[in-house]
Amino acid sequence: MTIRIGVIGTGVMGAGHASMLASQIAGCEVVAVADADEARAKVVAGKVGAARVFSDGKALIGDTGVDAVVVASPDPTHHPLVMECLRQVKPVLCEKPLGTNSTECREIVETEMRSGRRLVQVGFMRRFDPGYEAVKAALTEERHGLPLFLHCIHRNAVAASYTTSEAIILNTAVHEIDAARFLLGEEFVSATVRGTRATRSAPSRTPQFLLLETASGVLVDIEAFVDAQYGYDVRAELVCEKGAMSLAQTHAVRTWSSGTVGNSLYADWMGRFDDAYRRELQAWVQSIRSWKAVGASAWDGYVSTRTAELCLEAYRSRQTVTIDIEERPAFYA
Ligand code: NAI
């Protein structure tokens, strides 16, 4: 059975997903695309061979020729579009974050549980990155003993001018929060957050530093710096009782010149996580065919947003904030 997919949002992420689904992912075809900017949607439709173009995402979801949906439109559209997918009982891969706040995410969780079927996957693609997977496997087998520290770095070269200090927590650090939860397999219990001084290239926002503690006492620090200028740079180092593991940096090219040797950096996430996106999409399509959910669930989407929200509270108050996540429902076991 070929899964007929509709993609909503044809900007950076949506165009990338549509192209990958059409050319590199087995068992599916892209039959429809939607974008508020219909002209943009038409260009992407032409490239991926999608016959139908919509300017309204809900109309795409209602199309009887669409079996499953990718939501890659801006964050505020995620909740209404995912809710519509649940109403129409269509599997949906929604880009992160699942909602703009935890109330929206919780409503999605409750609605999905009532539907009795796992239909929502959240686009936390790090879970499909071979490096993160290898660290997770070593941890699960306790190859280096119990974890003590997880150091996470998330640097972008540049960010949109409207990006705020708050958005750096809710939209950027949320990736690291989910990745840490995925690796360590437990929830956070407290957060302290500080911004350093603003940089001269982005005076309206401050790079963020988050210090979180997990239920078992692992300390996780996250640097989220979206104006680093020099390139896209994501790192993670896990320190355990008798060993440490750090993600190997993947580079296209190594250069020897002018007395130095160096590795080129990716400009952004599309190159760095190309493999993770491909594996995420393939696993999602396979999960629809097998009816066996994979990746980050709606519950993971809720918990990561709830955690990020409490980090925001810690940032604003300059106090250490308690994180009190409810028990994971058996539905998401
Ligand atoms: P973008 O701005 O490049 O593209 C968004 C597209 O959605 C635009 O073409 C816009 O016209 C369209 N759009 C706006 N309102 C719409 C609506 N109501 N219905 C349909 N289309 C609408 O944004 P980008 O970077 O592609 O981000 C999209 C989503 O992906 C965001 O939620 C973002 O947080 C997430 N994202 C995820 C990443 C990941 O690594 N998983 C990386 C970057 C973004």
Side-chain angles (χ1 to χ4, degrees):
M1 171 180 110
T2 299
I3 308 291
R4 298 167 302 175
I5 295 175
V7 177
I8 303 175
T10 52
V12 175
M13 292 306 296
H17 286 334
S19 160
M20 226 173 225
L21 285 163
S23 60
Q24 301 178 47
I25 305 300
C28 69
E29 59 181 323
V30 179
V31 296
V33 295
D35 198 293
D37 179 346
E38 207 171 330
R40 185 177 297 166
K42 277 191 180 137
V43 171
V44 172
K47 286 184 183 162
V48 302
R52 294 188 291 290
V53 174
F54 298 86
S55 57
D56 174 15
K58 286 191 179 168
L60 177 146
I61 297 166
D63 186 323
T64 51
V66 169
D67 301 319
V69 178
V70 172
V71 172
S73 40
D75 300 0
T77 65
H78 294 183
H79 171 262
L81 292 172
V82 171
M83 289 295 285
E84 183 64 17
C85 288
L86 290 174
R87 212 175 65 77
Q88 305 262 356
V89 199
K90 294 197 177 176
V92 54
L93 173 62
C94 178
E95 262 313 331
K96 47 60 59 176
L98 181 58
T100 54
N101 58 57
S102 60
T103 308
E104 286 185 358
C105 297
R106 188 77 212 201
E107 193 185 350
I108 289 171
V109 162
E110 299 296 337
T111 308
E112 187 181 43
M113 285 201 293
R114 275 199 302 278
S115 83
R117 188 182 154 194
R118 289 272 302 274
L119 289 166
V120 181
Q121 185 178 326
V122 182
F124 283 122
M125 76 297 181
R126 307 265 187 97
R127 290 170 178 247
F128 296 92
D129 177 79
Y132 283 92
E133 279 185 350
V135 174
K136 169 110 183 139
L139 253 180
T140 307
E141 293 166 17
E142 272 191 34
R143 248 178 264 162
H144 310 292
L146 295 173
L148 306 173
F149 299 107
L150 176 60
H151 307 292
C152 307
I153 288 179
H154 187 137
R155 297 184 194 143
N156 297 61
V158 288
S161 57
Y162 52 78
T163 303
T164 61
S165 299
E166 283 81 2
I168 294 171
I169 295 171
L170 291 176
N171 193 286
T172 301
V174 74
H175 258 308
E176 307 302 323
I177 288 169
D178 182 71
R181 293 179 59 251
F182 166 68
L183 290 179
L184 299 169
E186 58 176 338
E187 302 301 354
F188 292 112
V189 293
S190 76
T192 311
V193 180
R194 292 282 191 283
T196 183
R197 67 180 176 203
T199 64
R200 283 171 288 181
S201 50
S204 66
R205 51 184 174 249
T206 60
Q208 301 289 344
F209 187 82
L210 291 68
L211 178 62
L212 297 120
E213 187 180 1
T214 69
S216 74
V218 181
L219 289 181
V220 177
D221 61 87
I222 299 172
E223 174 199 311
F225 179 21
V226 298
D227 301 290
Q229 309 295 305
Y230 68 83
Y232 183 71
D233 190 6
V234 165
R235 307 183 207 168
E237 183 180 20
L238 182 74
V239 183
C240 299
E241 290 170 307
K242 49 187 178 126
M245 280 171 288
S246 120
L247 293 181
Q249 298 297 305
T250 51
H251 313 281
V253 175
R254 177 174 288 192
T255 307
W256 287 260
S257 174
S258 307
T260 60
V261 54
N263 298 315
S264 61
L265 283 166
Y266 288 107
D268 61 26
W269 50 93
M270 296 304 274
R272 167 65 181 87
F273 286 109
D274 178 75
D275 207 17
Y277 293 124
R278 188 178 307 105
R279 298 175 84 225
E280 171 187 63
L281 290 168
Q282 187 63 75
W284 176 60
V285 168
Q286 186 53 36
S287 79
I288 298 167
R289 294 157 67 95
S290 65
W291 291 61
K292 196 170 179 323
V294 295
S297 65
W299 177 255
D300 295 311
Y302 161 70
V303 175
S304 53
T305 290
R306 176 73 187 135
T307 303
E309 249 172 23
L310 291 164
C311 288
L312 192 55
E313 204 177 302
Y315 168 65
R316 288 181 176 144
S317 67
R318 297 180 70 82
Q319 304 288 320
T320 296
V321 164
T322 299
I323 300 175
D324 50 348
I325 301 296
E326 311 88 303
E327 204 163 307
R328 179 188 293 263
F331 185 77
Y332 293 104

